[in-house]
Amino acid sequence: MNIGIIKPDYKITGGFEVVINHIREELEMSGHNVEVVYVDATERGLSYIPFPIRAQDYEQNFEFFNYINYFWRYLRMDLSKYDTVISTQPPSFAIQHPRHIALFYHHSKIHYDLSELIQEVGLDKPFHKKVQEVLREIDSLSLAKVSTILAGSKTIKKRIAQFNGLHSNVDLFYAGIDNEIYNYDGPIAYQSPIVVGRHEFPKRPELFVKAMKKIPSIQGRVIGEGGRTDDLKKIDQLLTFADNRNIEIPDDVVWKRLSNGFFQQEQRELLQKSQKSHLKSNVVFTGRVSKQQLFKEYANALCVVCPAYEEDYGLTAIEAMSFKKPVIACTDGGGYAELIKDGVNGFLVEPTSEAIANAIQRLANDPERVKRMGNNAYETSRSYSWKNAMNKITEIII
């Protein structure tokens, strides 16, 4: 069978790229001819939109018009040489084909599940609500034509029902995790709590950093980096100083305002004082790490904290569980929340630094509980193999 995978190319290699490569390799080993059709998603322009757009309108909301431009590009693609096509990130699901599978992990998030938060924080662009209305309408029309939508989690399936009104053509697909992680059998220790992932809004590593200030005798480790890393380090300095002076900065201010670089005068003054104080933080920033170093971080972690808001899937949590680590996630964590059985393989807590700190402290105080919950977490991770994942893909394709 000739299979085309339609993939927007963002010039990065992240979790989605790993999933696509694995699916391609597995399908090829099963005897299928597979071609990944990359479409450069970094270009800005209007060349595919069949009607005129004023330059000033484009500049005011270029992200929207880029989306529409790519929507038309995918809509016009000739994919007739393939027996089956698999679309991936939005708006690649606009492609037209009688056997179309959409591997679906998220919408244009700022116009869907993050829309209200984006407006609250002040990150919305002009005409946000009208843009949102247009995107939701064209997305719904496209997705309704897809043969099968494979939602990456129950959270995503729920969003498709909520925002696009689709149920009958939606199934679940849980991606497997890296085989080296799934089959890890090296040494395990329980030392520092860690948070792993990109530093982007609203992943909320800021809540982890603030939680660590409430348990100063414990060292926390922040693994990874991203567009918000510099602000995250400033927040750590600021919170270290504020805690030393018994100054409370609310959680919402920390992860909604400071994480986006919105420091008010009072906070800027505190930050300047903190930089002069040279107080030692109990949070270590590792920066980006190699795969082997990541394995060591997981293997030596007391627990893994996954504080993100409305996560699509929860890959980090499953990886952590493969290393027999309890996972702490938040009740509004989306895909993370659906993986946690509270008190069994981790803790599901309110999205506050206080709740996260309490959960970490409970684990630090009870080594036997940590090991017991870690073993339960490991059993949970056994469901997320690539063998199980490809069984679902094969079932749909055949």
Side-chain angles (χ1 to χ4, degrees):
M1 183 179 291
N2 291 323
I3 300 173
I5 300 178
I6 316 306
K7 175 73 175 69
D9 183 8
Y10 291 97
K11 311 300 181 184
I12 59 173
T13 301
F16 207 109
E17 286 69 31
V18 172
V19 168
I20 294 302
N21 287 336
H22 206 108
I23 289 174
R24 175 182 56 79
E25 291 170 1
E26 293 282 350
L27 288 173
E28 287 176 340
M29 285 192 291
S30 297
H32 299 288
N33 297 316
V34 183
E35 180 182 1
V36 180
V37 182
Y38 290 103
V39 177
D40 188 345
T42 64
E43 295 179 352
R44 292 176 56 172
L46 300 168
S47 58
Y48 292 93
I49 300 178
F51 45 81
I53 305 294
R54 295 187 308 174
Q56 64 190 68
D57 292 334
Y58 177 79
E59 290 304 325
Q60 274 192 310
N61 215 316
F62 67 87
E63 290 176 340
F64 166 68
F65 286 111
N66 285 340
Y67 190 94
I68 298 299
N69 191 51
Y70 278 105
F71 180 90
W72 279 98
R73 183 173 182 181
Y74 289 116
L75 189 66
R76 293 172 168 178
M77 289 181 74
D78 180 4
L79 302 169
S80 57
K81 70 176 182 178
Y82 302 111
D83 301 306
T84 297
V85 294
I86 302 173
S87 62
T88 55
Q89 292 120 309
S92 66
F93 47 71
I95 59 175
Q96 303 289 295
H97 195 280
R99 296 198 66 191
H100 175 188
I101 300 168
L103 189 62
F104 199 97
Y105 278 82
H106 61 81
H107 297 84
S108 172
K109 294 177 71 65
I110 62 173
H111 300 109
Y112 283 88
D113 46 296
L114 298 185
S115 178
E116 292 183 5
L117 177 61
I118 290 295
Q119 292 176 76
E120 177 190 347
V121 175
L123 296 176
D124 53 315
K125 297 291 178 63
F127 311 110
H128 177 85
K129 290 186 178 180
K130 185 61 180 178
V131 165
Q132 175 176 292
E133 179 184 332
V134 172
L135 257 62
R136 291 184 181 186
E137 182 174 355
I138 64 173
D139 286 355
S140 294
L141 289 171
S142 295
L143 289 167
K145 298 177 182 179
V146 176
S147 305
T148 303
I149 301 171
L150 290 178
S153 67
K154 292 178 182 176
T155 294
I156 297 165
K157 186 176 182 178
K158 181 179 177 181
R159 288 180 197 155
I160 295 171
Q162 175 186 351
F163 295 120
N164 306 112
L166 298 175
H167 305 270
S168 60
N169 64 336
V170 184
D171 203 344
L172 283 170
F173 169 76
Y174 292 109
I177 62 173
D178 185 301
N179 285 329
E180 287 186 71
I181 293 177
Y182 187 84
N183 297 313
Y184 179 81
D185 63 354
I188 296 291
Y190 296 91
Q191 298 171 3
S192 297
I194 67 173
V195 64
V196 178
R198 290 179 293 110
H199 303 159
E200 306 291 350
F201 182 76
K203 297 293 187 180
R204 296 195 300 205
E206 304 82 19
L207 282 184
F208 173 78
V209 169
K210 189 164 188 282
M212 295 312 304
K213 305 309 167 189
K214 299 179 181 299
I215 42 178
S217 63
I218 300 175
Q219 183 190 82
R221 296 176 64 81
V222 177
I223 317 300
E225 60 185 21
R228 304 295 185 187
T229 299
D230 288 343
D231 282 330
L232 185 58
K233 290 180 178 180
K234 291 177 183 177
I235 290 168
D236 178 55
Q237 279 188 316
L238 177 58
L239 292 175
T240 300
F241 182 81
D243 183 69
N244 186 262
R245 297 294 192 276
N246 292 318
I247 300 171
E248 176 63 23
I249 302 176
D251 286 348
D252 274 9
V253 171
V254 170
W255 78 266
K256 292 179 180 179
R257 305 297 300 171
L258 303 185
S259 71
N260 287 301
F262 300 147
F263 288 75
Q264 294 183 344
Q265 182 62 32
E266 177 186 0
Q267 290 142 8
R268 287 197 295 270
E269 290 174 357
L270 283 174
L271 181 59
Q272 289 176 350
K273 292 178 181 178
S274 70
Q275 291 168 339
K276 294 176 182 178
S277 69
H278 302 296
L279 289 172
K280 186 174 176 59
S281 172
N282 67 330
V283 174
V284 174
F285 292 85
T286 68
R288 183 177 297 175
V289 298
S290 66
K291 177 187 281 192
Q292 293 308 312
Q293 183 59 39
L294 177 61
F295 287 8
K296 290 180 181 178
E297 296 289 351
Y298 274 134
N300 292 324
L302 171 71
C303 60
V304 178
V305 180
C306 299
Y309 173 79
E310 277 296 325
E311 187 71 9
D312 301 320
Y313 178 28
L315 182 63
T316 299
I318 303 168
E319 289 180 347
M321 290 179 180
S322 285
F323 286 85
K324 300 185 177 180
K325 303 302 173 176
V327 173
I328 299 171
C330 298
T331 52
D332 61 357
Y336 281 138
E338 66 184 73
L339 296 170
I340 307 301
K341 294 181 180 179
D342 188 47
V344 178
N345 60 2
F347 289 120
L348 196 57
V349 303
E350 291 300 309
T352 67
S353 59
E354 184 75 34
I356 293 171
N358 287 342
I360 293 172
Q361 189 70 71
R362 289 171 69 184
L363 293 172
N365 290 344
D366 194 343
E368 290 305 313
R369 182 173 200 171
V370 173
K371 292 179 182 178
R372 183 171 66 252
M373 291 175 70
N375 287 331
N376 292 337
Y378 178 81
E379 293 304 317
T380 300
S381 74
R382 298 303 87 185
S383 300
Y384 298 92
S385 68
W386 269 109
K387 178 181 178 181
N388 290 343
M390 290 311 301
N391 284 343
K392 171 60 71 174
I393 291 281
T394 303
E395 171 190 321
I396 298 298
I397 288 177
I398 295 177

